[in-house]
Amino acid sequence: ASGKTIYLRPKAGSDNDQFYLTNLTWGPDHKTIYLAWLNRTTTDMKLLAFDGNTGEELRMLFSEHDDRWLEPE
């Protein structure tokens, strides 16, 4: 651990600051961070992978949409 603060930078919703980041966990490689991105109305969810050293978004693993609401578990 470097002791340095790293900020995650999601690409999803970058045009809108009204979103939630939840369900954060480290990957088994101890280098990747996974989290769920939800829009403010909780109708769109994306599971995202981030580089734990840089905070850069690596990829979207999947996305989901529901006209009523979503709850990542």
Side-chain angles (χ1 to χ4, degrees), residues 3-22:
K4 181 170 93 172
T5 300
I6 302 294
Y7 294 95
L8 300 180
R9 296 186 292 278
K11 296 175 190 170
S14 59
D15 58 333
N16 183 348
D17 64 354
Q18 298 294 308
F19 57 87
Y20 300 105
L21 300 174
T22 184

Side-chain angles (χ1 to χ4, degrees), residues 38-44 65-71:
L38 286 112
N39 63 344
R40 182 76 172 170
T41 57
T42 65
T43 56
D44 293 299
H65 173 82
D66 188 284
D67 290 334
R68 296 178 71 186
W69 62 278
L70 292 165
E71 181 179 356

Side-chain angles (χ1 to χ4, degrees), residues 10-51:
K11 296 175 190 170
S14 59
D15 58 333
N16 183 348
D17 64 354
Q18 298 294 308
F19 57 87
Y20 300 105
L21 300 174
T22 184
N23 294 51
L24 182 122
T25 188
W26 283 97
D29 63 1
H30 303 283
K31 297 178 183 176
T32 307
I33 298 171
Y34 298 98
L35 60 77
W37 173 97
L38 286 112
N39 63 344
R40 182 76 172 170
T41 57
T42 65
T43 56
D44 293 299
M45 195 242 353
K46 298 174 184 184
L47 182 61
L48 304 173
F50 292 85
D51 183 311

